[in-house]
Amino acid sequence: MADPNAENLLKTALYDLHVELGAKMVPFAGYAMPVQYPLGVKGEHLHTRAKAGLFDVSHMGQVRLIGEHRVAELEKLVPGDIALLKPGRTRYSAFTNDDGTILDDLMITNAGESLFLVINAACKDDDIVHMRANLDNGVELLELTDRSLMALQGPEAANVLARFAPEVATMKFMSFGEIDIAGIPCFVTRSGYTGEDGYEISVPDSDADKLARLLLAEDEVEAIGLGARDSLRLEAGLCLYGNDIDTTTTPVEGDLNWIINKRRREEGGFLGADIILDQLANGADRKRVGIKPEGKAPAREHTAVLDQDGNEIGEITSGGFGPTVDAPIAMGYVAIEFAQPGTKVDLMVRGKARPAEIVALPFAPHRYFRG
Amino acid sequence: MAKKFSKEHEWLEIDGDVATVGITDHAQQALGDIVYVELPEIGKKLSKDGDAAVVESVKAASDVYAPVDGEVVEANEELDANPALVNESPENDGWFFKIKLSDASQLDDLMDEAGYKAFVEGLED
């Protein structure tokens, strides 16, 4: 097993703080990251749903695209309508490839003079190579390697952050602002990946520790690790790249049709558009769905999904225990004829078929601030 | 009654030819919040170091091995309703199963409490 303290692992600007807080550090996408703090995964999860959790997501990549043709050039690589995105607005999207499958999922913000992108840690090097190879017409890519990223998530997140920057209180879900928090120049988006209201905050590395300590000093805020981040996003029905979506899945199979806007459906013009638009018109053979095991036994990733006759019809891609719903939860892919909520299936857990049901996502309702 | 420990972090409390088996406090701390325990069926014959039970934490499933050969004579049904008992009382109420020993001499391979404590401290260095 890799040693999380090994010198070849990268450290975020908050590494020393994590260790000081008693975090259990693990290797993740080349970084030493906190998987949990002394509160424990379940406690951290429930705290985030009840109050506010602070996550270090500095391992993720932050990139700026500048140049007059940045929108049209990026639209070659993603199926979202980026031209429609007004300054100060953020959108979830995905890099597709020629096969119509997903290279990475990402957040795209119109930051006025630039597009601000947040990409996954494990994919960021490949994403940057991909963008540099495909973005023409004078578009320049700047890696923001001197900035940290933290997420403040939960029903108290807005109250807490507004103590340091009152203007964040009125920001709507998926909006962006360059805002000073306690005098620190930050990029703030009202977004996150837990299903809760909250913010992602890009902060200069030199001020990251100071800002994290300021937020953690508030009564409502606890530090939250990757373990609870995973259970929170699974309850919220959100895809984890590498598990639920990857280069074997298309956005249509991944139930992400909503990221492909009307104009792009009509015009195409992104990698893999022929395959994706054909699936949009004619349907895909399989689909990502929510799966609720009956009983208490969780079913983990790669668990086979069977129909009532024992035929394999799919596979779980994320599975575990949802502390908020207090039950095992999962999502995965099933053949399209079994994708309807209410369909009874079996899950092959440790050689035994166990009953489960296809259900609508999310498991825990989203509580985004729509204004 | 003597208590013994395995290197796989199981404990056994021996009463005649029956041993009560669970996982140690060290093991439950390492696993974190336990949400499900799959127990062996009564009558099942277990072999030393073979799979006996599965304990699932919020994050992952972990195997529990049989520390000795024998036949399962009782399983702790309380854990179905309240798997968190393993966290709360790992070496008492959170026991997993009782096994009828088929070879009591295997107990000699296991550690006593002081030996296990030293073993765990060695792991942490």
Side-chain angles (χ1 to χ4, degrees), chain B residues 68-108:
Chain B
V68 288
D69 293 344
E71 182 182 328
V72 176
V73 293
E74 196 177 339
N76 186 358
E77 288 171 15
E78 289 286 308
L79 296 184
D80 283 340
N82 185 15
L85 266 183
V86 180
N87 294 120
E88 290 157 14
S89 179
E91 300 190 24
N92 286 300
D93 296 343
W95 61 277
F96 280 26
F97 57 88
K98 295 185 181 182
I99 186 169
K100 189 165 189 286
L101 304 172
S102 52
D103 179 1
S105 74
Q106 290 174 336
L107 296 172
D108 298 340

Side-chain angles (χ1 to χ4, degrees), chain A residues 9 85 111 230 296 326:
Chain A
L9 284 176
L85 201 57
D230 192 51
K296 294 257 183 158
D326 194 26

